[in-house]
Amino acid sequence: MSTNKLESIFSNVKSTTLADVFIDRIVKIPNLDSLIKQAKEKSTIGGGSIRGIKQEEIAGGNATNIAYSLAKFGSHVNLFVIGDEFTKNILELRFKKFNNVSINLIYGKPGFTIALETEYEKNVNIMISDVGGIENFEGEYIINNYKETLNQSDVIIISNWASNTKGNELVKNIFSTAKNSIKLLDFADLSTSTNRLSELIEHLKDNKIVDMISLNENECRILTKFLGLEKISSNYTIEEIKKAASEISNTLEIIIDIHTPLGSCSSQNNEIQFVDSFKVQPKILTGAGDIWNAVNILAFKKKFSAYNRLNIANAAAASYISEYNRGDFPLTKVEELLESRGINTDSL
């Protein structure tokens, strides 16, 4: 039974997310230059330990983090991941408090990531990854065995397209099958995957199988450059984000949502909405975009105004980074942040 207003709002939404899971080791680096110096010194004497580095390990990955947030907000979730029995055990531990999640394991190698969180001119998150079985996944197993699940889903999210060399095939297979769902594509880091973008963009324009594309500021910068548009600067402004969202949306004829530390923006049919981020002190950087994506698409499905939709997605991400507790975060903080802007959950 729902115990929070936000859970009850989204409790009738059926969602599906796929298909990456990563065993994430999050490593806090107080000083990146110092770590590099110490590592070099250790290498000259044949190795040794660098102690005092705070770390933790959880079952993460874009699809997994998105599924957690979807479930947290009350949606009934089907999570598809590529992994093994060890992965399954870790996932069951992470999702043990939920009764609204089905974990569908596709046997293969999970991903592994070392996420280095440090401050180097600004707060940064450097991920060193072995992407595992998601590297070559076209989705036919899901089509052959779970077509009814796709057909019954209100929203479907394909994440980490950039890590999957068969990402274009996955998008075509899954999104073409799911006729009645709202379909969100999350690229992840595009820097090494632009060679596959032309085929994808051509297919999206011709077949209209994606409803929304979500980008962070780095993905936005790469995509605008690829499309021949004016890219945002390193010290981008709100106006640059709004312009980029509008131009990408008009070019691809798709809803474009951009989430950044400054705030988030949505562009659809020449209508643009920007909402400032909530000012909080972050405990973690890894995974905030996944939380944002999950709540954003739930709010879109429930037909929130763009202003309310972006605010609730921003509030969820802010709660996650500021109140983080081994992948969890409080909905009460989300409500508190919304109320600070005069948004009462009873009126949503």
Side-chain angles (χ1 to χ4, degrees), residues 37-54:
K37 180 181 178 182
Q38 289 179 74
K40 287 181 177 179
E41 289 173 350
K42 292 292 182 182
S43 69
T44 63
I45 58 172
S49 296
I50 301 173
R51 298 183 175 89
I53 305 295
K54 293 183 179 179

Side-chain angles (χ1 to χ4, degrees), residues 88-236:
K88 185 177 182 181
N89 291 337
I90 292 178
L91 285 171
E92 287 175 348
L93 282 172
R94 185 170 186 197
F95 288 93
K96 67 179 180 179
K97 72 176 183 178
F98 297 112
N99 59 10
N100 54 334
V101 178
S102 294
I103 299 171
N104 305 291
L105 190 70
I106 303 163
Y107 280 91
K109 181 182 176 182
F112 295 89
T113 290
I114 299 173
L116 305 178
E117 295 198 348
T118 188
E119 184 174 326
Y120 192 79
E121 296 182 353
K122 60 181 179 179
N123 289 332
V124 294
N125 175 24
I126 304 163
M127 290 181 282
I128 305 168
S129 295
D130 172 354
V131 302
I134 194 65
E135 187 173 14
N136 294 286
F137 183 63
E138 79 297 316
E140 289 184 4
Y141 177 88
I142 297 175
I143 300 297
N144 294 335
N145 294 279
Y146 293 94
K147 186 175 290 187
E148 191 63 25
T149 297
L150 297 178
N151 289 332
Q152 292 177 357
S153 297
D154 296 306
V155 299
I156 298 179
I157 304 165
I158 292 178
S159 60
N160 207 347
W161 173 90
S163 294
N164 185 356
T165 61
K166 295 184 178 178
N168 289 344
E169 290 85 346
L170 179 64
V171 168
K172 294 174 188 177
N173 288 337
I174 298 297
F175 285 165
S176 296
T177 299
K179 304 293 184 184
N180 300 315
S181 307
I182 297 169
K183 295 170 278 288
L184 168 65
L185 177 60
D186 175 43
F187 283 122
D189 187 349
L190 279 169
S191 58
T192 59
S193 307
T194 53
N195 61 312
R196 293 187 276 115
L197 271 176
S198 292
E199 179 190 351
L200 175 68
I201 289 169
E202 182 178 350
H203 189 77
L204 297 187
K205 285 184 174 182
D206 291 344
N207 296 279
K208 310 297 182 186
I209 59 170
V210 173
D211 298 299
M212 307 172 72
I213 290 177
S214 176
L215 305 165
N216 63 24
E217 66 274 21
N218 294 321
E219 294 152 8
C220 173
R221 190 174 290 114
I222 293 167
L223 187 56
T224 50
K225 180 180 180 181
F226 182 85
L227 294 172
L229 305 172
E230 184 177 347
K231 69 177 184 178
I232 62 173
S233 61
S234 56
N235 296 312
Y236 56 86

Side-chain angles (χ1 to χ4, degrees), residues 1-4 7 64-65 67-77 88-103 291 319-320 323-332:
M1 181 178 294
S2 296
T3 58
N4 182 283
E7 292 176 82
T64 302
N65 290 336
Y68 191 93
S69 191
L70 290 168
K72 180 86 176 176
F73 276 77
S75 175
H76 292 264
V77 186
K88 185 177 182 181
N89 291 337
I90 292 178
L91 285 171
E92 287 175 348
L93 282 172
R94 185 170 186 197
F95 288 93
K96 67 179 180 179
K97 72 176 183 178
F98 297 112
N99 59 10
N100 54 334
V101 178
S102 294
I103 299 171
I291 308 306
S319 175
Y320 172 82
E323 305 291 332
Y324 175 86
N325 181 20
R326 293 200 59 81
D328 197 20
F329 59 98
L331 294 183
T332 51

Side-chain angles (χ1 to χ4, degrees), residues 241-311:
I241 294 295
K242 290 169 66 175
K243 181 180 179 182
S246 177
E247 291 184 346
I248 298 171
S249 179
N250 290 335
T251 300
L252 301 184
E253 299 176 354
I254 290 171
I255 299 168
I256 295 296
D257 290 342
I258 304 175
H259 51 90
T260 79
L262 285 181
S264 57
C265 183
S266 184
S267 180
Q268 178 183 12
N269 298 328
N270 293 314
E271 294 185 5
I272 305 169
Q273 178 72 62
F274 184 93
V275 171
D276 291 333
S277 294
F278 292 93
K279 305 306 179 186
V280 295
Q281 185 64 39
K283 291 182 179 178
I284 190 170
L285 303 175
T286 306
D290 299 326
I291 308 306
W292 194 94
N293 282 328
V295 179
N296 182 56
I297 197 169
L298 287 177
F300 184 86
K301 170 61 183 175
K302 297 299 288 188
K303 298 183 179 180
F304 284 20
S305 68
Y307 178 78
N308 284 346
R309 170 166 61 89
L310 296 177
N311 264 303

